[in-house]
Amino acid sequence: MASALTQTTDRASRPKRARRNGVVGSRAFPYLLILPMLALEGALVIYPILRGALFSLDTPAGLGLDNYRYMLVDPDFWRMIQHTLVFTLSVVVAILAIGLSLALLMNWSFRGRGVVRSLLTVPWAIPEVPVAITFVLMLDPSFGVFNAFLRLVPGVTENPQWLLDPVLAMLVVIGATVWKGFPFYSLVLLSALQNVPDELYEAAKIDRAGRFAQFRYITLPGIRPTLALLAVLAFIYSTQQFTLIWLITGGGPVDATTTLAPAIYMQAFRFYNFSYAGAIAVVGFGISAIATLCFVVLQRRVEAQS
């Protein structure tokens, strides 16, 4: 009798749980919340990808692989791939090197570090169109500030034609792309550096390890996953770069700076060859997908070894 009264009292003292009634309490409610996002992604991402893939198969005789067969023997396509690889690899290496160097510098304690960090985000915050216009004005052979400083160097008597020389034009678009994007990578790497335990550096100092040894055996392994992810993001960012290249050089001179994105635009809206533009877009998507897949495989191997 006493035990029954005790159980009844315990049940009465427990707080009553709110009943899950209607849509809010159902198991499908979390999925309903993400439906608008999925619909937006489907309309703006998945549908254009599928539509571009169908465009690439469009031929006068119907659906087929004629565009891909022509692509294999098209010398302009292979030159575009070469320019894309040069531009992409240069941007990835430069943007990660500059981003990591500045992140290491910003990770030190010095007066005015917060102000420097704020100024670091300025290139990233400026839209690409003003950046491109500014670079074009600074590189003008008549009144550009680049040539004004270059004439101060002994032995320089002529103004370089930055946007008319194929090599210089490629260097210009690489520099503009790196300048526009490095703050993002620097800030992400700075966040990764701050997550490395200080106890490891203190133990390394006790063992009299130098700065290079600390960077090699502590810093680099600690930020390796972030660095690998940023390498993939930088690869995708550079392969999809269009605005800076198009506004600064227009893909020239003589198609010297024509990469994937400008090539797709020119084929579609200058030559009105939408099917061939779709084929180039599919190739670009495949390159980005392969790069992402390689990152996932390498990341799993590193995690398995550790």
Side-chain angles (χ1 to χ4, degrees), residues 186-265:
S186 181
L187 293 176
V188 175
L189 287 172
L190 176 60
S191 176
L193 287 173
Q194 292 178 345
N195 289 328
V196 179
D198 295 334
E199 293 79 5
L200 298 177
Y201 293 104
E202 294 175 359
K205 291 178 181 179
I206 295 174
D207 294 335
R208 296 182 179 180
R211 292 189 179 274
F212 179 76
Q214 293 179 25
F215 175 78
R216 180 180 178 183
Y217 295 106
I218 298 177
T219 304
L220 198 57
I223 65 173
R224 184 177 293 143
T226 303
L227 198 61
L229 176 60
L230 290 179
V232 176
L233 294 179
F235 184 88
I236 297 174
Y237 164 71
S238 55
T239 54
Q240 296 179 349
Q241 180 56 247
F242 170 76
T243 305
L244 293 176
I245 297 176
W246 187 254
L247 293 181
I248 293 177
T249 64
V254 199
D255 295 334
T257 58
T258 300
T259 58
L260 277 171
I264 295 170
Y265 178 83

Side-chain angles (χ1 to χ4, degrees), residues 133-148 151 159-163:
I133 295 174
T134 303
F135 268 85
V136 170
L137 294 176
M138 290 192 300
L139 294 168
D140 189 273
S142 300
F143 56 83
V145 66
F146 277 23
N147 288 337
R151 283 194 296 268
N159 293 332
Q161 301 292 327
W162 296 93
L163 303 181

Side-chain angles (χ1 to χ4, degrees), residues 81-291:
I81 291 294
Q82 180 182 0
H83 298 157
T84 302
L85 292 177
V86 171
F87 175 78
T88 300
L89 295 178
S90 301
V91 168
V92 170
V93 172
I95 209 169
L96 291 181
I98 295 175
L100 180 57
S101 301
L102 290 176
L104 292 171
L105 179 63
M106 293 299 102
N107 198 35
W108 290 354
S109 296
F110 58 88
R111 184 178 298 178
R113 183 174 62 172
V115 177
V116 176
R117 287 181 179 179
S118 300
L119 293 176
L120 188 65
T121 61
V122 171
W124 185 34
I126 301 176
E128 291 183 338
V129 174
V131 170
I133 295 174
T134 303
F135 268 85
V136 170
L137 294 176
M138 290 192 300
L139 294 168
D140 189 273
S142 300
F143 56 83
V145 66
F146 277 23
N147 288 337
F149 283 106
L150 194 60
R151 283 194 296 268
L152 299 177
V153 179
V156 178
T157 58
E158 297 182 357
N159 293 332
Q161 301 292 327
W162 296 93
L163 303 181
L164 298 179
D165 184 271
V167 177
L168 293 178
M170 178 61 76
L171 292 177
V172 167
V173 294
I174 290 173
T177 305
V178 172
W179 185 86
K180 178 67 177 69
F182 81 88
F184 168 77
Y185 299 88
S186 181
L187 293 176
V188 175
L189 287 172
L190 176 60
S191 176
L193 287 173
Q194 292 178 345
N195 289 328
V196 179
D198 295 334
E199 293 79 5
L200 298 177
Y201 293 104
E202 294 175 359
K205 291 178 181 179
I206 295 174
D207 294 335
R208 296 182 179 180
R211 292 189 179 274
F212 179 76
Q214 293 179 25
F215 175 78
R216 180 180 178 183
Y217 295 106
I218 298 177
T219 304
L220 198 57
I223 65 173
R224 184 177 293 143
T226 303
L227 198 61
L229 176 60
L230 290 179
V232 176
L233 294 179
F235 184 88
I236 297 174
Y237 164 71
S238 55
T239 54
Q240 296 179 349
Q241 180 56 247
F242 170 76
T243 305
L244 293 176
I245 297 176
W246 187 254
L247 293 181
I248 293 177
T249 64
V254 199
D255 295 334
T257 58
T258 300
T259 58
L260 277 171
I264 295 170
Y265 178 83
M266 286 190 290
Q267 290 293 334
F269 301 105
R270 178 176 290 181
F271 306 127
Y272 298 102
N273 192 353
F274 292 99
S275 59
Y276 194 56
I280 298 176
V282 170
V283 171
F285 176 79
I287 293 174
S288 299
I290 291 173

